[in-house]
Amino acid sequence: MKQLLALLLLAGALPATAQIDPVLLRRVPRDTSRLQLNMDAVYNRPFVQPGRLPVALGGYVEANYQYAATDGVSEGHQFQMRRLTLFVSSSIAKRIRFLTEIEFEDGTKEINIEFASVDVEFSPLLNVRGGVVMNPIGAFNQNHDGPKWEFVDRPLSATQLLPATWSNVGAGLYGKKFGATWVVAYEAYLTNGFDDQIISNTQNRTYLPASKLNPDRFEESFNGVPLFTGKAALRHRRVGEVGVSYMGGVYNKFEDDGLRLDRRRGLQVWAVDLTSTVPKTRTVLTGEWAWVRVNIPDAYSPQYGQRQAGGFVDLVQPVMRGTIFGFDRAVLNAALRLEYVDWNRDRFAETGGLIGDETLAVVSAVSWRPTAQTVIRLNYRRQWARDFLGNPPARTAAVQLGFSTYF
Amino acid sequence: MKFDSHMSKPSMRLSGLAAVWLLLASCELIFPQAPADDAVLDGPVAGLTPEQHAQFLRGDVAFNDGVFTSRTGLGPVFVAASCGSCHAGDGKGHPTTTLTRFGQVDSTGNLFLQRGGPQLQHRALPGFQPEQLPAGAAHSRFTPPANTGLGFLDAVPDAALLALADPTDVDGDGISGRPNWISAPGYITARPGTRVQAGRYIGRYGKKAAAYDLLHQTAAAYNQDMGIVSSYEAVDAHSGQLADPEVSNQTVLDVVAYLKMLKAPVQREPNHPDVLTGEQAFLRIGCGKCHTPQLTTGASPIAALAHQTVRPYTDLLLHDMGPGLNDGYTEGTAAPAEWRTPALWGLGLSPNSQGGTYFLLHDGRARSIEDAIRQHGGEGQPSRERFDSLSAEQQRQLVRFLQSL
């Protein structure tokens, strides 16, 4: 990790020279020759290539102001540095490339290698990827860069149900088949997986993101059983993209040192995602829905649900486009997000009633993009969260004003 | 600057809607207001010092947000993983968090302590087996109570409770409340003026009044409900062995302080004619003989609790509730049919913590206030019969009064 940071700092020093001679600093043109999918998001970013180095650099930053209140109680005015992410990519050979993404979240509370993989292309339909890969479950996990979204908060279902950003050490295959107006793609990886924190955590609910707290997951599988993640996606030039993904494996340590501790307990996640643009109005529709099923011991706490589901739908409508405040390709958007997560779809054994533990939120937004790489966004959020027993919901409202930009 | 040529009427309307919404967002009214003080059970008693507020907040976090896991000591057998799991919003619990006590049938003690008694830990960490109810063990199910106003109940002097007691029914009214004389653990600090009888103390918490004070109640709940060993209750509920503490003394004391400093429930619409008429009927049919409307606290280290008159509608004494509510199980010196009079304050807010409905009486068997009244037997039977003889309108007013508490 330290070596990687040193490399990043060293590489970062070169653009400083480039401020004197701009020729030394050039933008890597994005590949727009073919249809791009969510799976291409890691490379489909603005990079800067210093000098003649075979290394390209990039990153993004996002920060915001927030005022939120739940049932009349507020933490007051907050300024938040959500994340700073640095990318380095390198073309090692003609069809061998490397990319890494390092993220500092919530200041420096979390420092993660989100992606660090070597890709070897044998043909467009057959690529091998190995290293720290982002498990292709849903679309948001792969396509999560802050500047691409009109909302300060990431979707609840992507971060609190699915564990975005979820990446693990492993390897797999991916490929695409192109047609004139469509592309079909697949991804399949075996990686390290979850651990038992998904049913033993301070959230007191089945919570897949809890496994991200395992500091050993990049060097040791918790139980020795690989996690499989696979996705198939289809994109049509006019209609948009639809993806279907699956992730499954064993989350518990069923044996240790040759001794049996428990039976194998599995989890399965299915997700569908959709991205589309209405040609006439240029309304962008992005949605994702996921289902989670976890094998919970019968005698365990019912607060840990066996079945979960949730998702979000974003509508983004450009309402003004042109020169605004001197930015000649600026866009002003209005946007709306609907999101819902049910962390426990089980029933009470004692009464037969439905268990609560669900959250519904509506977020409205106005975003201004002075350039395609930068977004300044104003959000207003209303949220209703019911507890495990289904009692009257806690009501939250928040106003957020922030920015996110590639650099 | 120009408008997008592709912008349609719907998108214009959408942007207009967004603009209106954002204008509203800038208004303070768009943030959800705090519920009225009489609409929630949680919140501190008025008049606390800043230092007490700080401890209240620490206890609040430990009680409502603290969740134990296998890594922090949960279990391995348990009932729930956190205090807040059973006492949502500091209110009454739900059947899913109802616990089972077993093994004691009279004042001679619990015969099943070596077989997992007195409480069944019916849940277990993966790889462990939960406890099973031993064959032949008398048992009873206890729904978690509301927590509010407990500090006031704690500050009522023993002498006041004894003054309410009438164990041999000297006044011949059919009501014979008596204290539950219990063996208190060594870690309790006797409150000023505490009465001791043959080495036993007056219990006042729990369905059977088997806990002396809130430290006793809290330390036992950590141990028996969550499998969390403390220096107060140092024996692990699963192994029966002494174990290292899994919660600090400070956290336990903060939780105790939090419970003490929770406000008393505030009555809603106390002057509504139906409420006033209903209260008169409540007293007229004799409910108030056990559900004593008013108690006065004595000295308390928390000044805000001292010498206050409160209206909990309990006498904190044991009463025989008849065979219908006799599960055959008991605690302390209570008979199996005897139950401590539950406080009625906060009753009307119970559905807000019980998933939108009522689960009343000790095990949640009563699904409405009327149902709970009609299951009163023993000393409560005459009042129940008088309730049945009220007109439908009078019954409605009485229930309305209870819902206002």
Side-chain angles (χ1 to χ4, degrees):
Chain A
M1 185 71 179
K2 284 181 181 172
Q3 289 86 338
L4 201 52
L5 285 171
L7 177 65
L8 282 167
L9 290 171
L10 181 64
L14 287 166
T17 311
Q19 287 183 339
I20 301 167
D21 181 358
V23 175
L24 294 175
L25 188 68
R26 59 193 171 87
R27 290 268 171 196
V28 178
R30 288 163 62 179
D31 179 8
T32 55
S33 60
R34 288 175 164 173
L35 285 173
Q36 299 288 321
L37 296 109
N38 285 307
M39 67 181 284
D40 299 311
V42 288
Y43 279 99
N44 188 22
R45 292 159 157 165
F47 283 96
V48 172
Q49 191 162 8
R52 296 179 182 279
L53 285 176
V55 172
L57 299 173
Y60 70 88
V61 62
E62 51 187 342
N64 65 278
Y65 157 84
Q66 173 175 294
Y67 183 87
T70 298
D71 288 335
V73 178
S74 172
E75 297 292 324
H77 303 278
Q78 306 288 331
F79 295 92
Q80 301 171 319
M81 182 69 186
R82 296 283 179 123
R83 53 188 62 82
L84 169 67
T85 298
L86 304 171
F87 328 127
V88 178
S89 74
S90 170
S91 296
I92 299 167
K94 190 176 178 184
R95 286 183 294 165
I96 302 176
R97 59 183 178 173
F98 171 80
L99 186 143
T100 187
E101 176 181 346
I102 296 173
E103 185 164 281
F104 299 78
E105 279 195 295
D106 300 328
T108 54
K109 198 163 71 180
E110 285 185 36
I111 303 173
N112 299 309
I113 300 175
E114 293 214 325
F115 191 86
S117 291
V118 174
D119 289 15
V120 180
E121 180 183 349
F122 295 99
S123 78
L125 200 55
L126 182 62
N127 297 262
V128 175
R129 171 174 289 172
V132 177
V133 303
M134 275 189 276
N135 300 69
I137 186 71
F140 185 88
N141 198 48
Q142 297 177 300
N143 196 2
H144 58 260
D145 290 358
K148 293 182 177 177
W149 298 82
E150 317 309 311
F151 302 93
V152 171
D153 284 329
R154 292 176 165 186
L156 281 174
S157 62
T159 57
Q160 307 287 304
L161 179 70
L162 301 179
T165 307
W166 177 238
S167 52
N168 283 288
V169 185
L173 308 173
Y174 67 90
K176 299 178 197 171
K177 174 73 176 171
F178 291 93
T181 57
W182 53 266
V183 56
V184 61
Y186 76 92
E187 293 178 88
Y189 302 101
L190 291 175
T191 65
N192 287 344
F194 291 90
D195 68 2
D196 63 358
Q197 290 184 90
I198 68 171
I199 65 157
S200 179
N201 57 67
T202 55
Q203 298 286 324
N204 212 12
R205 59 165 62 119
T206 300
Y207 191 66
L208 302 192
S211 279
K212 293 165 69 176
L213 298 175
N214 177 3
D216 300 326
R217 68 193 175 96
F218 289 121
E219 56 181 345
E220 183 182 358
S221 168
F222 185 66
N223 52 27
V225 179
L227 176 74
F228 172 77
T229 314
K231 180 172 184 179
L234 175 68
R235 183 175 185 89
H236 187 278
R237 186 179 295 277
R238 289 183 182 168
V239 178
E241 177 180 344
V242 61
V244 179
S245 48
Y246 168 81
M247 178 166 68
V250 173
Y251 71 84
N252 68 326
K253 184 164 279 189
F254 49 91
E255 62 182 25
D256 196 8
D257 206 16
L259 301 176
R260 193 80 172 169
L261 301 177
D262 193 5
R263 55 182 284 201
R264 288 177 180 233
R265 300 193 182 276
L267 86 163
Q268 294 89 37
V269 183
W270 295 266
V272 294
D273 58 82
L274 172 73
T275 308
S276 184
T277 302
V278 180
K280 189 176 175 186
T281 61
R282 295 188 183 178
T283 308
V284 179
L285 171 68
T286 307
E288 183 173 305
W289 193 268
W291 296 265
V292 177
R293 193 168 190 104
V294 179
N295 181 325
I296 308 281
D298 291 340
Y300 199 51
S301 169
Q303 299 208 225
Y304 291 88
Q306 306 205 51
R307 297 180 305 137
Q308 304 178 311
F312 70 95
V313 176
D314 286 0
L315 285 166
V316 180
Q317 177 63 55
V319 293
M320 193 181 293
R321 140 189 334 260
T323 302
I324 305 175
F325 298 129
F327 292 92
D328 57 3
R329 298 178 70 183
V331 181
L332 185 69
N333 295 306
L336 187 70
R337 168 175 291 169
L338 301 174
E339 55 181 336
Y340 172 76
V341 178
D342 185 347
W343 281 277
N344 197 330
R345 300 178 68 209
D346 298 344
R347 288 180 175 272
F348 291 111
E350 296 81 4
T351 64
L354 283 170
I355 291 175
D357 204 2
E358 59 191 343
T359 296
L360 171 70
V362 181
V363 191
S364 60
V366 172
S367 68
W368 177 49
R369 291 183 174 275
T371 72
Q373 286 80 32
T374 301
V375 60
I376 296 167
R377 50 205 177 188
L378 176 62
N379 291 181
Y380 172 65
R381 178 183 194 84
R382 286 304 298 249
Q383 179 175 297
W384 299 264
R386 281 189 192 277
D387 67 6
F388 168 70
L389 299 174
N391 289 314
R395 300 159 304 149
T396 298
V399 172
Q400 299 166 315
L401 176 62
F403 69 87
S404 185
T405 184
Y406 285 110
F407 54 81
Chain B
M1 188 193 315
K2 64 176 182 177
F3 280 96
D4 183 8
S5 60
H6 293 272
M7 205 165 124
S8 62
K9 283 184 178 175
S11 61
M12 293 274 285
R13 283 197 289 271
L14 180 63
S15 57
L17 184 64
V20 169
W21 200 330
L22 284 159
L23 278 172
L24 286 172
S26 65
C27 172
E28 195 169 300
L29 288 176
I30 207 68
F31 288 99
Q33 301 297 294
D37 204 29
D38 62 9
V40 292
L41 292 174
D42 59 356
V45 66
L48 297 178
T49 65
E51 181 182 344
Q52 288 165 340
H53 274 151
Q55 189 172 27
F56 179 87
L57 289 171
R58 290 199 303 273
D60 190 355
V61 169
F63 189 90
N64 290 304
D65 300 337
V67 175
F68 288 96
T69 69
S70 57
R71 288 166 176 77
T72 54
L74 177 67
V77 292
F78 59 94
V79 176
S82 70
C83 306
S85 298
C86 297
H87 305 276
D90 293 305
K92 288 180 186 290
H94 182 274
T96 197
T97 55
T98 293
L99 55 83
T100 301
R101 297 266 177 86
F102 65 93
Q104 183 173 344
V105 297
D106 56 31
S107 60
T108 60
N110 195 309
L111 304 176
F112 285 80
L113 292 179
Q114 302 305 315
R115 298 175 65 185
Q119 188 162 306
L120 187 74
Q121 284 85 32
H122 65 298
R123 295 185 173 122
L125 296 176
F128 289 84
Q129 291 299 313
E131 286 185 345
Q132 303 294 322
L133 191 63
H139 63 278
S140 189
R141 288 170 58 78
F142 292 179
T143 300
N147 305 323
T148 49
L150 295 181
F152 290 106
L153 300 184
D154 196 69
V156 175
D158 280 2
L161 303 185
L162 290 171
L164 293 170
D166 183 15
T168 54
D169 193 17
V170 171
D171 62 7
D173 65 353
I175 306 297
S176 57
R178 68 185 185 94
N180 189 357
W181 294 97
I182 60 164
S183 299
Y187 56 74
I188 61 117
T189 301
R191 59 177 68 81
T194 201
R195 302 296 175 88
V196 184
Q197 191 176 89
R200 291 176 180 266
Y201 296 77
I202 296 176
R204 61 180 73 193
Y205 294 111
K207 308 290 183 187
K208 297 282 188 181
Y212 174 77
D213 63 7
L214 288 169
L215 178 59
H216 184 190
Q217 180 75 18
T218 302
Y222 269 110
N223 187 282
Q224 293 289 310
D225 296 357
M226 297 182 279
I228 298 297
V229 172
S230 64
S231 68
Y232 302 107
E233 296 284 347
V235 176
D236 179 62
H238 178 60
S239 67
Q241 303 294 315
L242 282 171
D244 294 332
E246 294 159 324
V247 61
S248 71
N249 287 1
Q250 186 60 56
T251 297
V252 174
L253 294 174
D254 287 343
V255 168
V256 169
Y258 168 73
L259 294 172
K260 270 189 184 174
M261 292 188 277
L262 276 169
K263 73 180 188 196
V266 180
Q267 188 178 11
R268 293 164 304 290
E269 299 184 290
N271 298 316
H272 190 283
D274 283 354
V275 171
L276 293 170
T277 309
E279 183 175 19
Q280 288 166 9
F282 175 86
L283 297 172
R284 191 172 63 249
I285 67 173
C287 304
K289 289 183 177 177
C290 301
H291 293 285
T292 306
Q294 190 168 293
L295 293 174
T296 300
T297 64
S300 170
I302 299 169
L305 300 176
H307 309 294
Q308 301 288 316
T309 297
V310 291
R311 297 180 68 79
Y313 295 89
T314 176
D315 58 5
L316 296 175
L317 299 175
L318 298 172
H319 295 274
D320 185 329
M321 294 303 293
L325 294 176
N326 182 353
D327 295 334
Y329 168 79
T330 195
E331 295 173 352
T333 54
E338 287 182 317
W339 298 92
R340 190 209 69 169
T341 310
L344 296 181
W345 57 10
L347 178 62
L349 298 178
S350 297
N352 289 352
S353 64
Q354 297 189 304
T357 186
Y358 282 106
F359 294 98
L360 302 177
L361 296 178
H362 66 274
D363 56 2
R365 69 179 70 179
R367 301 306 309 280
S368 66
I369 291 174
E370 295 91 329
D371 188 13
I373 294 170
R374 292 200 167 97
Q375 294 200 46
H376 279 53
E379 296 174 45
Q381 183 155 341
S383 292
R384 183 196 74 191
E385 290 168 354
R386 287 192 282 269
F387 175 78
D388 285 337
S389 67
L390 295 175
S391 68
E393 177 64 5
Q394 289 170 321
Q395 289 183 359
R396 187 190 64 79
Q397 289 167 334
L398 193 152
V399 169
R400 175 79 190 272
F401 158 68
L402 293 172
Q403 287 173 330
S404 77
L405 296 177

